[in-house]
Amino acid sequence: MNTEITRLHGTTSADLLAIPVIMLGFHPRESCVVLGVRGTRVEFCARMDLDWFTNDFRFGQVADQLANAVERCSGCHVAILAYTADPEAGALAVEELTAVVGEDIVLEALVTNGDLFWHVHPAGLVPPGGVPHSYGSSNFAAQAVYSGVNVDASREAAVLAVQPPHPSSSAALAATVQGVAKQLAGLRPVDRMVLLSRHMGDRDQSGNDPTELALLLQEEELFGEVLAQLSTRTAQRLRPRLAAARRISDDALAPNVLALLTLACWLDGEGAQQSDCLAQLESLDPWHPLMRILAKMHRSAAPPGAWDG
């Protein structure tokens, strides 16, 4: 995702801390964020857990992804920001990220606990007592409210729409799936394609059953049809429909739905949902035909436009 930031080089530190909240769509907690900045434009925004560097595998993943993002963003500088209740731990995470991306391109390094912020320096956090800070008082927060930008309270809230059904509903969902499957089995292939087109079309979806969509996507030809339709232009329309199908899909139905939903989230700039769907898919079906390309584009920090190309 990228966004235009007015007078970025004159932006206050407090305003800088608000930018990831808007770009991510939620308030990061116990997190580090790297912003790639070129001129007056934020070209990329990457979030990771605060303790990302304590696991060798995760360290390698983060280092590779950031190196690829910086390489793609020729001439970029970065801001490294930590959001945590433990400022000292935040400072350590920021220092580790600075070493990964290279100190020479770091414009700003900050830590905030939500009420105060500090600059991260080799000698420690400056000033020692911190600077008063709140997201709501920043200029960018005011712009977001005026523009109608929705910001969730947490990452958990931001990914709620792409979660599996609750175990307590499994029996009822199984009965529904069985009934819909019988109905679809009685249709000719051409009729199932027409039905899929209704799910993917521009018309109102309020009367459509997401169980129907989830079952249609189990057919290779219909799965391929949706894959062919996905682009940066269509993702905003198709992503909510695929998310609804995911919310009613058990482990057997979920992989095909998740593969398309991961792609739709990427194309629609929903980074948190994309990462969550990719992790779900890897857990359920690591050998899914789309898994390799989805993981590769995620790790390479490929921009959504690369898919259309």
Side-chain angles (χ1 to χ4, degrees):
M1 177 183 291
N2 54 55
T3 188
E4 194 74 22
I5 303 299
T6 306
R7 298 189 308 106
L8 185 65
H9 293 298
T11 298
T12 67
S13 297
D15 283 340
L16 191 62
L17 287 163
I19 295 173
V21 178
I22 298 165
M23 294 192 71
L24 294 170
F26 62 90
H27 289 272
R29 290 181 170 80
E30 302 309 314
S31 301
C32 274
V33 175
V34 178
L35 296 176
V37 181
R38 180 163 51 196
T40 61
R41 192 173 183 85
V42 177
E43 296 288 350
F44 69 84
C45 176
R47 189 213 71 90
M48 61 225 66
D49 293 339
L50 194 73
D51 63 351
W52 65 274
F53 58 92
T54 61
N55 179 289
D56 288 342
F57 179 71
R58 192 164 19 159
F59 184 98
Q61 283 187 319
V62 170
D64 284 352
Q65 193 171 31
L66 285 177
N68 288 325
V70 171
E71 183 178 355
R72 287 178 180 277
C73 186
S74 178
C76 272
H77 289 80
V78 303
I80 303 178
L81 316 170
Y83 301 78
T84 175
D86 184 347
E88 294 296 337
L92 180 59
V94 167
E95 289 167 359
E96 292 287 346
L97 278 172
T98 299
V100 166
V101 302
E103 187 176 352
D104 56 319
I105 67 168
V106 178
L107 285 175
E108 186 71 277
L110 301 171
V111 175
T112 180
N113 63 5
D115 298 316
L116 302 168
F117 76 81
W118 297 262
H119 296 271
V120 179
H121 288 282
L125 294 173
V126 179
V131 179
H133 160 66
S134 70
Y135 164 75
S137 63
S138 70
N139 291 325
F140 289 122
Q143 289 180 26
V145 171
Y146 179 78
S147 302
V149 175
N150 179 59
V151 175
D152 288 308
S154 65
R155 186 179 186 277
E156 291 73 21
V159 301
L160 192 61
V162 298
Q163 296 308 297
H166 194 276
S168 63
S169 63
S170 59
L173 283 176
T176 300
V177 167
Q178 187 176 22
V180 174
K182 286 181 179 180
Q183 294 174 13
L184 294 178
L187 298 178
R188 297 175 303 164
V190 66
D191 293 328
R192 291 198 290 273
M193 181 65 80
V194 170
L195 190 56
L196 178 70
S197 298
R198 292 175 185 168
H199 281 279
M200 297 292 102
D202 293 326
R203 72 182 184 88
D204 178 36
Q205 297 289 306
S206 58
N208 284 358
D209 181 2
T211 307
E212 198 172 65
L213 176 58
L215 284 165
L216 289 170
L217 294 177
Q218 305 312 304
E219 296 187 33
E220 184 176 347
E221 183 179 2
L222 302 185
F223 176 90
E225 179 66 21
V226 178
L227 181 62
Q229 287 190 34
L230 276 169
S231 67
T232 52
R233 181 180 59 82
T234 63
Q236 186 177 28
R237 182 180 84 246
L238 300 183
R239 179 180 58 80
R241 303 174 191 183
L242 292 166
R246 197 291 166 257
R247 293 194 297 273
I248 56 83
S249 295
D250 61 13
D251 289 355
L253 293 178
N256 272 9
V257 177
L258 279 169
L260 294 171
L261 181 55
T262 301
L263 181 57
C265 290
W266 172 51
L267 294 171
D268 199 26
E270 293 291 340
Q273 292 187 3
Q274 173 205 343
S275 297
D276 198 84
C277 288
L278 186 60
Q280 292 182 51
L281 179 60
E282 186 174 26
S283 175
L284 290 174
D285 188 0
W287 302 111
H288 189 279
L290 278 190
M291 183 67 211
R292 185 175 180 181
I293 190 171
L294 291 171
K296 183 178 180 180
M297 63 87 174
H298 181 67
R299 189 158 185 164
S300 67
W307 181 263
D308 294 345

